[in-house]
Amino acid sequence: MTAERTVQTSKAQTALATNSVLRNTYMLLSMTLLFSAAVAGTAMALNAPHPGIIITLVGYFGLLFAVEKTKDSAMGLVSVFALTGFMGYTIGPIINMYLTQFSNGGEIVMMALGGTGAIFLGMSGYALASGRRFNQWAGMLFVGIMVAFVMGLIAVIFSIPALSMAVSALFVLLMAGLIVYQTGEIVHGGETNYITATVTLFVTIYNLFLSLLQLLGVFAGEE
């Protein structure tokens, strides 16, 4: 009876810890999305210029490194908001470009937002309802994201629209898979740091939105 009670206690503690990580992740994710949206809105209102691909990459990876170094301390929260705020700033000028470049720019932005929300909720719901852990996807997703990232850089540097579209479509698939994977890791205890989990999901949503925005601009944009 003692051994059985110990096992039950251990399972209860594991479930409690998992629920705590899941709850904290979604709470922090909601806060960072609101903060990022506010920064993006401010950048749009000020008609701020886009920082460019070099500054964007340096800022992103630099702040991502800061998050990784501080994720186990209170400074981790500061790093998370610095990263998500910076990413919000970079997206403001992009949205402005779509609003001015296309007569239906507002519709395109709203469709991209709606598509992002639908994919996130759908993939998260699937991961939660399935009861499975998708850790076998880790290698495939990592390789896929690295390949897509390199292809994206090539498309930007050499101005190859067709490759850019292919990368956007690939990113939509990869980000949908990453949502399932990360949610499964949280639920099954593979991810125990809610700051890391939040950043992963935030970056996923950011890339998903930009990819949908680009695809919709090409296929549904009216100049």
Side-chain angles (χ1 to χ4, degrees), residues 9-32:
T9 301
S10 177
K11 288 183 177 179
Q13 290 174 340
T14 300
L16 183 63
T18 298
N19 290 335
S20 177
V21 173
L22 188 64
R23 181 176 62 254
N24 290 338
T25 296
Y26 281 121
M27 183 180 300
L28 183 58
L29 180 63
S30 299
M31 294 171 64
T32 52

Side-chain angles (χ1 to χ4, degrees), residues 152-190:
L153 287 179
I154 293 173
V156 170
I157 294 172
F158 296 100
S159 299
I160 309 174
L163 180 58
S164 182
M165 290 301 98
V167 170
S168 293
L170 181 57
F171 257 113
V172 170
L173 295 176
L174 288 170
M175 294 304 103
L178 187 56
I179 292 169
V180 174
Y181 166 77
Q182 185 62 66
T183 304
E185 287 299 283
I186 296 171
V187 170
H188 294 282

Side-chain angles (χ1 to χ4, degrees), residues 83-159:
L83 173 63
T84 56
F86 175 74
M87 295 177 74
Y89 172 80
T90 64
I91 210 169
I94 296 175
I95 295 176
N96 263 349
M97 182 190 71
Y98 278 85
L99 294 177
T100 56
Q101 183 175 346
F102 299 104
S103 59
N104 63 336
E107 295 177 11
I108 291 175
V109 172
M110 293 308 296
M111 284 191 292
L113 281 172
T116 301
I119 291 173
F120 179 78
L121 291 175
M123 294 299 98
S124 297
Y126 169 71
L128 291 170
S130 70
R132 293 169 52 198
R133 183 177 178 184
F134 301 87
N135 55 316
Q136 70 274 15
W137 291 13
M140 177 187 66
L141 288 170
F142 176 77
V143 173
I145 291 170
M146 291 302 297
V147 170
F149 177 74
V150 173
M151 289 171 59
L153 287 179
I154 293 173
V156 170
I157 294 172
F158 296 100
S159 299

